[in-house]
Amino acid sequence: MKSFVTVLVNKEKINLLNFDRKGLQAFFAEMGEKPFRATQMIKWIYQEGEWDFDQMTNISKPLRAYLKENCCIIAPEIILEQVASDGTRKWVIEMGGGNKVEAVYIPEDNRATLCVSSQVGCALACTFCSTAQQGFNRNLTTAEIIGQLIAANHRVGEQGRVTNVVMMGMGEPLLNFDNVVPAMNLMTEDFAFGLSKRRVTISTSGVVPAMYRLQEVCDISMAVSLHAPTDAVRDILVPINQKYPLKELMAACKKYIENSPRGFITFEYVMLEGINDSEADARALVKLLKDVPSKMNLIPFNPFPNTDYKCSSRRVIERFRDIVHHAGIVTTIRKTRGEDIDAACGQLVGKVKDKSRRMERLQKMGLT
Ligand code: SAH
């Protein structure tokens, strides 16, 4: 990649990283330009790494001048890096206005996964997640989402290039639908990152209507944060369950699979001692998923300050895995990565200028 061109930050300018191919086509069409301009621009930005409009030689001079005047290409910057003993890297990424999000880079033998954030904070209040304790500020733009991938590749260079993306950082991606979908499109777009749809995964707490909408526009892999086999327990752990209970969630999963390249949903299940980790829970889970093609990913709970939850013991987690696995659901225990730098699942906090006053409310209730 050639050097980043720092375009003067001018709030009025349109950041072209906000558009996927369709968006760029519409943008150019409005200017009376042909749709192929979109592909040319995408190639310059993502394949050539050429962000200086003056250097885009196959674009006419008047159009270049117009773009220079009205548009910019700007990705957010990594302002802090922590490297864990296992090679996992956590990056703090500046989003302006006192807001910072975190992204996590997880290298493995034959792949490198980037865990990307979709919002500054999170509006949901899952009780076992530390992002939730930060409250919520705003949605990230498409440029800020795809910018995390650009920044990651830039930082690690060719050899460490990201091969897999999971939308499992801060935020609920399906509550930022309109910005997340174009970013996912750019990840899988041949002329941009060209990642296989099997290697790009969106993770949701179960925003059912958005799951149906997603299925109509995009067929990337889906992970669902399940965490409990009954409404009674899930209502507490993942409160959005009160709005979209398990029956509706399972129906949405089944529908999504019809169109998914993977043909199954990955369910995430955090192991919480004495809460959702009994043998009866495991059996109830198997029953719940009996006609949803699934894989199960058990996540040992990662603690954070001021939480009363505890992680189930290894023995209990393995027993749970065996029951689900023997019932015919491929079940893995997620290897915790980057624990020593608080980069593990649910530990991402960034810096959120909370607008939801969550901390205030929790303090009033004596919960912090
Ligand atoms: N909001 C989306 C994306 C976040 S993904 C979602 O809920 O799916 C982050 C994953 O880590 C989710 O499965 C989440 O439930 C899980 N998680 C959150 N806090 C955790 C913790 N403390 N320990 C382990 N996993 C956690």
Side-chain angles (χ1 to χ4, degrees):
M1 163 161 318
K2 292 186 193 148
S3 67
F4 278 5
V5 174
T6 313
V7 183
L8 279 180
V9 183
N10 176 344
K11 290 257 156 53
E12 307 284 304
K13 285 190 173 181
I14 298 171
N15 189 350
L16 297 187
L17 297 185
N18 276 313
F19 299 123
D20 60 6
R21 183 137 59 102
K22 252 175 132 180
L24 276 176
Q25 278 171 357
F27 170 75
F28 282 118
E30 247 175 49
M31 292 157 51
E33 290 287 335
K34 291 271 177 335
F36 69 81
R37 292 280 177 227
T39 311
Q40 286 179 325
M41 182 55 75
I42 285 188
K43 285 183 176 172
W44 282 120
I45 297 177
Y46 297 98
Q47 291 188 341
E48 303 297 325
E50 179 55 81
W51 291 15
D52 181 351
F53 293 120
D54 283 335
Q55 306 301 320
M56 298 180 177
T57 44
N58 58 0
I59 290 177
S60 72
K61 280 211 169 132
L63 180 54
R64 277 190 245 163
Y66 177 88
L67 292 172
K68 228 175 126 174
E69 184 70 27
N70 298 289
C71 303
C72 60
I73 304 172
I74 297 181
E77 274 177 41
I78 295 173
I79 55 166
L80 191 78
E81 173 177 81
Q82 283 172 281
V83 184
S85 50
D86 64 9
T88 299
R89 304 196 205 181
K90 183 168 80 169
W91 292 313
V92 177
I93 302 183
E94 174 65 54
M95 294 300 176
N99 289 305
K100 300 171 183 26
V101 301
E102 293 179 343
V104 181
Y105 172 81
I106 309 160
E108 282 167 285
D109 292 343
N110 51 359
R111 62 179 178 181
T113 303
L114 186 70
C115 179
V116 168
S117 290
S118 57
Q119 298 180 312
V120 183
C122 190
L124 300 179
C126 301
T127 44
F128 57 90
C129 178
S130 89
T131 304
Q133 321 300 312
Q134 306 295 306
F136 175 73
N137 186 279
R138 67 170 173 86
N139 283 331
L140 293 181
T141 62
T142 298
E144 289 166 335
I145 298 167
I146 202 67
Q148 295 170 58
L149 185 47
I150 295 170
N153 279 337
H154 190 60
R155 172 62 63 112
V156 296
E158 270 311 307
Q159 255 150 26
R161 222 180 154 69
V162 172
T163 60
N164 293 54
V165 174
V166 290
M167 295 295 300
M168 294 187 185
M170 296 166 66
E172 168 47 54
L174 288 185
L175 289 179
N176 184 14
F177 194 93
D178 294 342
N179 295 334
V180 163
V181 168
M184 313 243 86
N185 289 341
L186 286 166
M187 290 172 198
T188 53
E189 157 74 51
D190 283 343
F191 299 121
F193 290 95
L195 301 179
S196 137
K197 287 168 180 173
R198 293 160 191 269
R199 290 170 173 265
V200 178
T201 302
I202 193 160
S203 179
T204 181
S205 56
V207 187
V208 165
M211 290 168 73
Y212 285 111
R213 265 181 82 197
L214 186 68
Q215 183 246 347
E216 280 171 14
V217 294
C218 160
D219 59 355
I220 52 162
S221 306
M222 164 97 61
V224 171
S225 295
L226 190 57
H227 306 317
T230 61
D231 283 323
V233 178
R234 196 167 191 269
D235 277 352
I236 296 168
L237 298 179
V238 188
I240 198 173
N241 193 70
Q242 295 164 23
K243 202 161 174 193
Y244 307 116
L246 284 170
K247 199 163 164 230
E248 291 176 29
L249 179 58
M250 290 304 123
C253 289
K254 274 198 237 170
K255 184 75 188 161
Y256 194 83
I257 291 169
E258 285 175 12
N259 197 28
S260 156
R262 279 199 144 176
F264 62 86
I265 301 272
T266 303
F267 288 99
E268 296 157 280
Y269 194 101
V270 64
M271 297 300 295
L272 300 166
E273 187 180 81
I275 306 280
N276 63 356
D277 64 349
S278 71
E279 296 185 12
D281 288 324
R283 284 190 293 272
L285 198 56
V286 170
K287 213 166 147 196
L288 178 74
L289 299 179
K290 78 175 181 315
D291 43 31
V292 185
S294 338
K295 280 195 181 172
M296 183 62 61
N297 201 204
L298 302 178
I299 316 178
F301 171 66
N302 296 304
F304 50 88
N306 299 320
T307 179
D308 289 335
Y309 289 118
K310 289 193 178 59
C311 185
S312 316
S313 70
R314 191 73 200 176
R315 192 187 53 79
V316 167
I317 297 177
E318 284 171 4
R319 177 85 190 110
F320 196 97
R321 181 215 34 217
D322 290 347
I323 295 172
V324 182
H325 200 76
H326 289 148
I329 300 174
V330 173
T331 306
T332 49
I333 300 174
R334 187 174 290 175
K335 217 170 114 201
T336 297
R337 298 285 308 250
E339 213 174 0
D340 49 337
I341 54 167
D342 284 347
C345 303
Q347 292 186 317
L348 302 187
V349 289
K351 184 159 197 236
V352 181
K353 292 238 158 180
D354 181 24
K355 283 185 174 167
S356 62
R357 304 212 176 155
R358 179 162 307 150
M359 283 313 279
E360 223 171 274
R361 280 183 280 132
L362 289 176
Q363 269 157 9
K364 267 192 197 145
M365 292 189 281
L367 290 176
T368 64

